[in-house]
C-alpha cells in the first residue's frame, strides 16, 4: 500500500457534491446509509488506491474460523467500492421497514447511486462505478461456518452479478441491476446492519473510512473503545509498515482534533493506543425516547431551521406552527417516535398539503 500524503492546506473532507435533498432519490426517498456488520468487523476491502492482487487470509482468535479474500486480475474490491453495497443495503432495509417485498436483485438509476454516495456525476463517476462493480463481482471470499458441530465452507462474491440495463448514446450507463450475494442479503434479512453517518461518503482517505466502520461496529454508543496499533493494523487490513501506519493514524487523529471532520466519533492516539469516543451529537441522536408534551400529547421533537424553511415550501399558505403541532400529535400516536424527525416532518408536510391543498389561508 502506498502511504497517503496529508496536505495541511486542504480540508480533510471531500466537498459535498450534491444538495442534501437529492440524496437517495430512488423508490425510498429517506433511506439512511447502512452497512453490514460482517464486513465492518473484518477487513474485506483493500485500503489501497492501486490494483491490489494479493490474497488475504484472516484467522479468528480461536485459531479455527477464518476468512480468505481472493482477488481477480483487476484487484480486490476497495473501501470506496463498498459504497455500492451500502447503497443497495440501504434501499433494501428501507423497503423492508416500509413493509415492501424485496429481492436479492435490485434495479436502480446509476445517477441516483452516484448522488447518494457523493460521487461525481460526470463521465469519470460512471467509469469508476463500472470498475467498482467489476471488482465487487470479481472478489472471492471463502469462510468456514460451524453449525451443529459440522464445519461448512462457503465461497462467494460480494455481488453475484451486475447488468447495465440501458446506456445513453455516449455509452454512459443509466439503469443498473445488481444481484447481492446470499451472504450480504442474509445479513440484511437478519438485521445485521448498522446505520452510517452520511458524512462517511465525504471521507477522503480509505483508512479514515475503515476507522469509522470499526468505531461504529466496536464502540457503538459505549463511552469509549480502545485498540492497540498492532491489533488495529490487522483489523483495518493495512499493508503499510508499522511506522507508516502509526503516521497515518496520527495524521487522522490530528486532523480530527483540528477540523472535527470524523463522523460520530472522536479519535485520539496516545502511546500507540487508539481511543475512540462517541461525539455528543451522535449520542443525542440515540437518546432515549423523547418526552411528550402534557397538553398536546405530542413528542417534544426538535426541528432544524432548515427543515422549517423547507416545510414552508412544501406546504405553502399553511401556518408552520400549526403543522408542527399536528405532526407532533400524529407522531405521539405511533408506536415509536421517528428516528429522523426532520425527514419525518417534511414527509408529513408533503402529505398534508397534498390532501388538504391551499386551505391554510
Amino acid at each position: 500500500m502506498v502511504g497517503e500524503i496529508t496536505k495541511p492546506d486542504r480540508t480533510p473532507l471531500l466537498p459535498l457534491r450534491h444538495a442534501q435533498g437529492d440524496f437517495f432519490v430512488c423508490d425510498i426517498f429517506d433511506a439512511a446509509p447502512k452497512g453490514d456488520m460482517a464486513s465492518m468487523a473484518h477487513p474485506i476491502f483493500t485500503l489501497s488506491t492501486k490494483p491490489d492482487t494479493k490474497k488475504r487470509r484472516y484467522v479468528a482468535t480461536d485459531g479455527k474460523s477464518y476468512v480468505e479474500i481472493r482477488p481477480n486480475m483487476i484487484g480486490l474490491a476497495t473501501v470506496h467500492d463498498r459504497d455500492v453495497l451500502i447503497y443497495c443495503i440501504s434501499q433494501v432495509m428501507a423497503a423492508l421497514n416500509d413493509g415492501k417485498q424485496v429481492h436479492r436483485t435490485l434495479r436502480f438509476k446509476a445517477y441516483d447511486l452516484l448522488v447518494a454516495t457523493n460521487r461525481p456525476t460526470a463521465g469519470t463517476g460512471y467509469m469508476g462505478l463500472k470498475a467498482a462493480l467489476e471488482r465487487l463481482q470479481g472478489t472471492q471470499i471463502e469462510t468456514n461456518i460451524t453449525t451443529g458441530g459440522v464445519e461448512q465452507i462457503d465461497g462467494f462474491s460480494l455481488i453475484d452479478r451486475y447488468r447495465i440495463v440501458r446506456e445513453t448514446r455516449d455509452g454512459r450507463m443509466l439503469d443498473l441491476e445488481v444481484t447481492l450475494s446470499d451472504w450480504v442479503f442474509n445479513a440484511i434479512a437478519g438485521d445485521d446492519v448498522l446505520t452510517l453517518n452520511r458524512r462517511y461518503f465525504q471521507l477522503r482517505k480509505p483508512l479514515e473510512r475503515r476507522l469509522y466502520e470499526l468505531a461504529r461496529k466496536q464502540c457503538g454508543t459505549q463511552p469509549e473503545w480502545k485498540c492497540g496499533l498492532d491489533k488495529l493494523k490487522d483489523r483495518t487490513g493495512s499493508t503499510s509498515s508499522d511506522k507508516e501506519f502509526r503516521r497515518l493514524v496520527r495524521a487522522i487523529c490530528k486532523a480530527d482534533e483540528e477540523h472535527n471532520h470524523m463522523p460520530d466519533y472522536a479519535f485520539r492516539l496516545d502511546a500507540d493506543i487508539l481511543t475512540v469516543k462517541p461525539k455528543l451529537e451522535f449520542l443525542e441522536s440515540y437518546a432515549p425516547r423523547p418526552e411528550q408534551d402534557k397538553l398536546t400529547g405530542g413528542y417534544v421533537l426538535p426541528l432544524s431551521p432548515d427543515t422549517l424553511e423547507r416545510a414552508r415550501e412544501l406546504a405553502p399558505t399553511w401556518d408552520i406552527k400549526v403543522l408542527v403541532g399536528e405532526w407532533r400529535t400524529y407522531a405521539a400516536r405511533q408506536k415509536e417516535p421517528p428516528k429522523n424527525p426532520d425527514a419525518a416532518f417534511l414527509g408529513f408536510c408533503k402529505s398534508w398539503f397534498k390532501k388538504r391543498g391551499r386551505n391554510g389561508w
Side-chain angles (χ1 to χ4, degrees), residues 41-301:
H42 303 288
I44 303 296
F45 300 91
T46 179
L47 300 180
S48 179
T49 55
K50 295 184 177 181
D52 187 345
T53 56
K54 182 181 178 181
K55 182 174 70 174
R56 313 285 179 84
R57 185 182 179 91
Y58 303 99
V59 181
T61 53
D62 60 11
K64 298 178 181 179
S65 303
Y66 72 89
V67 175
E68 186 170 284
I69 303 101
R70 297 190 292 262
N72 62 7
M73 63 176 60
I74 63 173
L76 291 168
T78 71
V79 167
H80 286 90
D81 295 343
R82 178 180 169 83
D83 291 355
V84 177
L85 284 185
I86 293 174
Y87 180 83
C88 292
I89 292 171
S90 305
Q91 291 297 314
V92 175
M93 283 300 301
L96 284 172
N97 293 336
D98 204 30
K100 298 180 180 180
Q101 289 187 335
V102 296
H103 192 271
R104 287 198 302 128
T105 300
L106 293 78
R107 185 166 180 162
F108 51 87
K109 303 289 184 184
Y111 176 84
D112 291 347
L113 183 147
L114 295 176
V115 171
T117 55
N118 199 43
R119 287 169 171 249
T121 53
T124 54
Y126 290 90
M127 291 173 59
L129 176 55
K130 187 173 182 180
L133 291 166
E134 291 174 352
R135 286 188 292 266
L136 287 167
Q137 198 278 328
T139 297
Q140 295 289 307
I141 297 175
E142 180 182 290
T143 184
N144 61 336
I145 304 171
T146 302
T147 55
V150 178
E151 183 182 53
Q152 174 182 322
I153 299 178
D154 280 356
F156 51 88
S157 299
L158 290 166
I159 60 174
D160 281 358
R161 63 184 291 273
Y162 70 90
R163 185 159 70 102
I164 300 174
V165 182
R166 201 154 52 111
E167 291 189 349
T168 55
R169 291 181 180 179
D170 61 359
R172 183 177 299 179
M173 67 180 73
L174 292 180
D175 294 345
L176 285 179
E177 282 187 3
V178 172
T179 301
L180 300 174
S181 67
D182 285 333
W183 190 63
V184 173
F185 195 73
N186 289 341
I188 299 172
D191 201 23
D192 292 331
V193 299
L194 290 172
T195 301
L196 308 178
N197 192 303
R198 294 186 191 276
R199 285 214 330 265
Y200 170 86
F201 298 118
Q202 288 183 261
L203 294 176
R204 293 180 182 274
K205 301 177 182 179
L207 183 56
E208 287 178 327
R209 295 190 174 204
R210 185 70 188 118
L211 289 177
Y212 172 77
E213 292 173 2
L214 284 172
R216 190 70 188 88
K217 173 67 172 62
Q218 303 296 334
C219 186
T221 57
Q222 299 179 78
E224 68 176 21
W225 173 66
K226 293 188 176 184
C227 187
L229 281 185
D230 290 343
K231 190 173 183 179
L232 185 68
K233 183 182 174 183
D234 290 337
R235 290 194 170 192
T236 60
S238 173
T239 57
S240 298
S241 66
D242 292 346
K243 181 179 180 180
E244 176 66 3
F245 183 71
R246 183 183 297 106
R247 185 190 73 81
L248 293 172
V249 174
R250 182 178 290 113
I252 291 172
C253 292
K254 182 179 179 182
D256 187 45
E257 286 189 79
E258 294 176 352
H259 301 278
N260 192 33
H261 75 293
M262 292 295 286
D264 299 338
Y265 300 93
F267 295 79
R268 302 294 180 263
L269 184 64
D270 183 34
D272 284 356
I273 300 293
L274 180 70
T275 300
V276 178
K277 294 184 178 182
K279 293 180 179 178
L280 180 59
E281 60 268 23
F282 174 70
L283 291 176
E284 288 178 345
S285 69
Y286 281 83
R289 188 185 186 93
E291 297 180 358
Q292 289 179 259
D293 186 275
K294 294 181 179 179
L295 294 177
T296 65
Y299 289 116
V300 182
L301 297 167

